[in-house]
């Protein structure tokens, strides 16, 4: 069962997430961005310029950009999860993970999305604003195993410094040790040594 991050109980506290057609056109949204009224948060999703991004707002923005089928069957992961957690820049192409027992070909993801087949453990997934996202530890493990070192290092440093995530180099190292054989496990250990 996924964990849940707490969010404000009243939907009226949540800033709007805007995309073309709801209720403005793409041209109108771009004009409001040029005027400083809106800020593009991810992809073609905008929020009011004065809004402070939170994990919940980032999750809502990404969720708005996904088809319902993709939202239901995938989990935001890797750099996309790190962005939602507030530790990475917005992704150019969101990375969504799908359980390897599901069929990717039937997702109908459209364009502007990367999908990877993975296996999840019982504590690998959180729910943030109705979007499934990999946990801080799973995200750190995935970044150390699958991201280029020059991209992963600054993001992992921010994740380790983020008090709400409760991560340490030792915890991530123990997580790596618990994984079955992985092609990049030694490289990930060297990356963690640089972080410590």
């Amino acid at each position: 069962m996924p964990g849940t991050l707490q969010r404000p109980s009243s939907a009226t506290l949540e800033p709007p997430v805007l995309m073309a057609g709801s209720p403005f056109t793409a041209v109108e949204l771009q004009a409001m961005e040029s005027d400083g009224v809106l800020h593009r948060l991810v992809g073609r999703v905008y929020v009011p310029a004065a809004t402070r991004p939170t994990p919940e707002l980032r999750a809502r923005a990404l969720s708005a950009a996904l088809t319902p089928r993709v939202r239901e069957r995938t989990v935001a992961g890797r750099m996309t999860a790190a962005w939602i957690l507030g530790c990475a820049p917005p992704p150019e192409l969101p990375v969504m993970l799908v359980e390897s027992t599901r069929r990717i070909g039937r997702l109908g993801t459209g364009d502007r999305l990367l999908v990877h087949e993975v296996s999840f453990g019982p504590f690998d997934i959180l729910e943030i604003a109705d979007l499934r996202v990999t946990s801080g530890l799973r995200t750190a493990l995935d970044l150390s195993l699958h991201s280029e070192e020059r991209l992963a290092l600054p993001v992992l440093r921010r994740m380790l410094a983020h008090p709400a995530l409760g991560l340490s180099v030792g915890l991530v190292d123990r997580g790596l040790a618990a994984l079955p054989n992985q092609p990049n496990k030694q490289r990930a250990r060297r990356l963690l040594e640089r972080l410590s």
Side-chain angles (χ1 to χ4, degrees), residues 86-142:
C87 298
E92 280 188 42
L93 291 175
V95 174
M96 302 302 288
L97 307 177
V98 65
E99 183 71 50
S100 57
T101 57
R102 296 186 175 224
R103 297 180 67 124
I104 288 180
R106 294 191 176 182
L107 271 181
T109 61
D111 61 350
R112 312 291 304 149
L113 189 66
L114 295 173
V115 180
H116 297 281
E117 287 185 357
V118 300
S119 294
F120 291 113
F123 305 106
D124 286 348
I125 301 171
L126 299 171
E127 191 170 289
I128 303 175
D130 299 324
L131 181 72
R132 294 183 317 145
V133 179
T134 54
S135 67
L137 179 57
R138 174 60 189 256
T139 302
L141 290 170
D142 285 347

Side-chain angles (χ1 to χ4, degrees), residues 20-182:
S22 60
F24 304 103
T25 67
V27 173
E28 289 171 324
L29 292 171
Q30 290 166 4
M32 285 187 274
E33 181 185 27
S34 295
D35 292 341
V37 175
L38 296 179
H39 168 71
R40 189 168 60 88
L41 195 56
V42 65
R44 297 174 218 141
V45 181
Y46 297 82
V47 296
T51 304
R52 186 180 71 81
T54 63
E56 292 79 12
L57 183 61
R58 291 184 197 99
R60 286 178 52 230
L62 180 59
S63 185
L66 301 174
T67 66
R69 189 167 175 83
V70 170
R71 227 180 359 258
E72 290 166 12
R73 298 187 64 185
T74 63
V75 177
R78 301 187 184 173
M79 283 293 182
T80 303
W83 167 71
I84 289 170
L85 296 171
C87 298
E92 280 188 42
L93 291 175
V95 174
M96 302 302 288
L97 307 177
V98 65
E99 183 71 50
S100 57
T101 57
R102 296 186 175 224
R103 297 180 67 124
I104 288 180
R106 294 191 176 182
L107 271 181
T109 61
D111 61 350
R112 312 291 304 149
L113 189 66
L114 295 173
V115 180
H116 297 281
E117 287 185 357
V118 300
S119 294
F120 291 113
F123 305 106
D124 286 348
I125 301 171
L126 299 171
E127 191 170 289
I128 303 175
D130 299 324
L131 181 72
R132 294 183 317 145
V133 179
T134 54
S135 67
L137 179 57
R138 174 60 189 256
T139 302
L141 290 170
D142 285 347
L143 293 179
S144 66
L145 287 165
H146 303 293
S147 294
E148 291 179 43
E149 186 175 318
R150 68 181 179 80
L151 300 174
L153 271 172
V155 173
L156 286 168
R157 280 191 182 106
R158 286 191 288 274
M159 291 184 74
L160 291 167
H162 196 304
L165 297 180
L167 297 175
S168 68
V169 172
L171 179 62
V172 178
D173 189 50
R174 287 192 298 278
L176 275 175
L179 292 174
N181 288 338
Q182 296 278 331

